[in-house]
Amino acid sequence: MMEEADEVFPPLKCSDYKIAVSDSVSDGDSFVYVVKSQELSSNTEYQVERTFEDFEGLQHCLFNQEGVPGLQGIIFPPLPAKPCPSLSNSDSKSIKVLGLLAVGENWPTYCQALENYLCLITGHSILSKNPVLQRFLTQNEPLAIQRVKKGIFNWLSQAVEGLRKENHKDIDDIFQNERDNNLTLTGLTKAVTEKFTEMVLTEQRLAVACGHFSTSLQLGISQQEDQTAQEFSKMCLKLSEVIDAVQKNYESVAENNINTIGLYLELYSRYLEAEKEMLFRRTCKLVEVENANKNLEKAKAIKKATMEEMKKATDKEFKEISGMAKIEIQNFHRERVRAFQQSLMGLCVSQLNTARESCAVFTQQLSHFRELCGE
Amino acid sequence: MAAEREPPPLGDAEHTDFREVEDGEDLFVSTASTLESSPSSPEPASLPAEDLSTNSNGPKPTQILLDDDREDLFAEATEEVSLDSPEREPILSDEQSPAITPVTPTALVTPRVEPKTISVPAMFERSKEEIEEEANGDSFDVEISVSDPEKVGDGMNAYMAYKVTTKTSLSVFSRNEFVVKRRFSDFLGLHSKLATKYIHIGYIVPPAPEKSIVGMTKVKVGKEDSSSAEFVEKRRSALERYLMRTVKHPTLLQDPDVLQFLESSELPRAVSTQALSGAGILRMVNKAADAVNKMTIKMNESDAWFEEKQQQFENLDQQLRKLHASVEALVCHRKELSVNTAAFAKSAAMLGNSEDHTALSRALSQLAEVEEKIDQLHQEQAYADFYLFSELLSDYVRLITSVKGVFDQRMKTWSKWQDAQVMLQKKREAEAKLQFANKPDKLQQAKDEIKEWEGKVQQGERDFEQISKTIRKEVGRFEKERVKDFKAVIIKYLESLVQTQQQLIKYWEAFLPEAKAIA
């Protein structure tokens, strides 16, 4: 399945590594993912087993990377939501939580999503240099990361204050535009993803209904000596084959949808959220800057120096973040468009192939059937 | 039930009067707009109608098909049993469609013209065979289409009028192409008449489409939404299939009621098909009586063929019902898919509109269009699923009910015969008693009664054999038709599948350059 995905939807640009993620049987508690990577420069191959917690740990390290000016201006590639192995495949709750990723046997799309995540990380000029990443990919030991409390993750999405700060007017038009666009885009992308998921689920249900129809066609076949009854049975069998082909067709169509547009939409719904969070962090910093200015103005002579220091530091941070953010935003959009194009191409090509195949199958069945009936 | 065989146009005036006899009510209704008798239609020599008209002096209802049918079947029989004899119970079918008009008082009034026409049967025999051949052979050539549903009237009295177009080269019709307007109750009326005439002698009469109070009320009230449009279309299609099935039956094709239905511009309203009419209530009562009878008749089946066949039909019934359920689920999901695809298309279009990147924006709009087109395809495919399979299956489920009904009729016929035998026995015993009691006048009466019942026993036996024979033939024909029908549908379905895929290929091929053009 991974190979197929590669053909249809070439992996996102990963600089140093070629990565593949597949799923190994869960031990009841959690899924274990097999991560194969190949360092392109040295051609060395690595294979490690990672759990979702490991991924989370990696993400945490990336968030807290030290020595990177303007770290907060980075749009962090998003991790998919945590899977719950106790819920069965395609359980409606799973689908609510994970959307498209919960569809299909063994959640191949979920593995693909993790793969994409790692590709994005390794393709990021700054993040790929994080030493933890190296360890994650090459050493088959659990990452010795401090189990972080949920609280630390929360600074990325501050709840109550968030709403107020979110609407804080920006000093830079470019950023204000970006924030507005992001809002629109996020909302629309989410809507599209929802509708898309609905559509794909219905396609799958249709395939299942075809299966039932095909089965019930075969049920009535009994040994009847009567000539017309036999003819009828033959026809039912033939029709059952046809319906099987229809079922395969729908399954293909759904699969194509998922592997191309589905994955894209799924990723970018979350990626746009990540961008939103980055912009939010910058806005928070902006508020800090403005507060620092106010404090400076209000400060009494004694405190003036400290306030001045603080202001300088905050200003510097803000500048670094904004600088980083500008680059990140550029890259983000370029990547977004490229990925969208890839997925649209992939969709088109795969659906075209499926349609051609099905057309050939149906045409053949039609001529067989005509022969059978002596037309 | 005076049904008139329509003679080919000889002279307009006579012709007019012949046309509109209905239930013997208005014997000489001359409608202004009758058949515009086209002189072009050839008079086949086989049609004995010429003889008919010479036999009668002017407009007179001549007892036609029913008799001739019987005459046909019981070549030497002197048909004593009149139409209105109490033996002839009103026949009720198990179908949901309003069954048959029970023998109405007017029928009692109708003078039955008896074996005056005995010379005719021979001719009918020949013509019937010829027509049957014509019907069964390659030259079966009747095409009926029901189209252009039009709402007539307003409010609760409104109804839909359908255009019935017949194209044929068969000789039994007076023209090659003709159009009439009919409403739903007309169809029910036709079925009702055919059922009354033919079911009890073993013919499988195609059931009429079902009534639907909800559907019709929506249409009457004028709700112009997709569901009432769908309802009308469903009904139109069902009416068309009903007529085609009816005319495919070689015997029914010749029935004057059928011919009149197809050709005559005006048709008296079939009021007795309404559920709440007097006839309707009578039907319900009789239906209950029938059910009871069915339970109490225990037949000694001497013919294994019938037993096997009944079992087979039972199995087939089960199978078809299951299939029907599966197909309905399929149709439902496909409709759902259509809705969801449309929603996706819309949201994709909205996304495209907000997209800054021009090429991407355009591609998204294109994608939205492609998905909309796919949505259309889904809808069409859903229709195909429905009209091809689902309706075919439900038609056959109801046809099988007719078949079962015919088997039941045979049972009834057998039962009648047995009852007659019992009665005969009783009469003989009574006579024997009277012999000893020495009452000469009563004795004579007893002897007469014995004679009468001997005749009835003979008749009963003949009826039974005849209905058995007819049923065998009918079942054979039915089975052949069944295979033909399903074959045709499957082929159509496959063709629709191929077409859909071809369309999809077109759409995606058109989209490809757009997708490439991004970036």
Side-chain angles (χ1 to χ4, degrees), chain B residues 1-12:
Chain B
M1 290 288 293
E4 182 176 40
R5 174 142 210 118
E6 174 226 327
L10 291 175
D12 276 7

Side-chain angles (χ1 to χ4, degrees), chain B residues 199-226:
Chain B
I199 290 187
H200 76 283
I201 44 177
Y203 285 93
I204 302 174
V205 176
E210 296 179 359
K211 266 192 167 178
S212 164
I213 300 182
V214 175
M216 259 333 270
T217 313
K218 267 204 207 154
V219 173
K220 286 185 194 198
V221 163
K223 210 162 165 228
E224 293 279 334
D225 66 351
S226 59

Side-chain angles (χ1 to χ4, degrees), chain B residues 375-391:
Chain B
D375 161 34
Q376 272 302 108
L377 284 180
H378 284 313
Q379 276 187 35
E380 281 164 24
Q381 190 68 64
Y383 283 138
D385 285 348
F386 181 69
Y387 284 109
L388 289 180
F389 281 127
S390 181
E391 289 284 81

Side-chain angles (χ1 to χ4, degrees), chain A residues 181 188 192 202 205 213 216 220 226 231-232 235 249-250 336 340-341 348 351 355-356 370 373, chain B residues 309 319 326-327 334 336 340 344 347 354-356 364 482 486-487 491 495 501 508-509 515-516 518:
Chain A
N181 280 349
L188 289 175
V192 173
T202 314
R205 265 178 257 145
F213 184 31
S216 45
D226 194 291
E231 264 188 86
F232 192 69
M235 282 198 310
N249 178 43
Y250 274 111
R336 184 175 68 86
F340 214 164
Q341 190 224 13
C348 190
Q351 297 291 33
R356 285 193 177 129
R370 285 210 167 107
C373 299
Chain B
K309 274 302 168 190
Q319 184 193 12
S326 298
V327 173
R334 238 196 256 277
E336 214 187 308
N340 289 342
F344 171 63
S347 61
S354 322
E355 178 60 58
D356 283 334
L364 277 171
R482 176 162 73 98
F486 274 85
K487 256 188 220 166
I491 289 183
E495 285 172 348
Q501 294 303 316
W508 287 118
E509 279 177 347
K516 279 201 183 127
I518 311 172

Side-chain angles (χ1 to χ4, degrees), chain A residues 11 71-72 100 136 139 148 155 163 173 201 207 213 238 284 310 326 328 332 340 352 359 373-374:
Chain A
L71 181 75
Q72 291 184 43
L100 276 174
F136 181 92
Q139 291 170 14
V148 284
W155 72 261
L163 215 49
D173 269 344
L201 289 175
F213 184 31
K238 209 69 182 83
C284 290
M310 273 186 67
K326 272 211 174 90
E328 283 284 285
F332 175 73
F340 214 164
L352 195 50
C359 192
C373 299

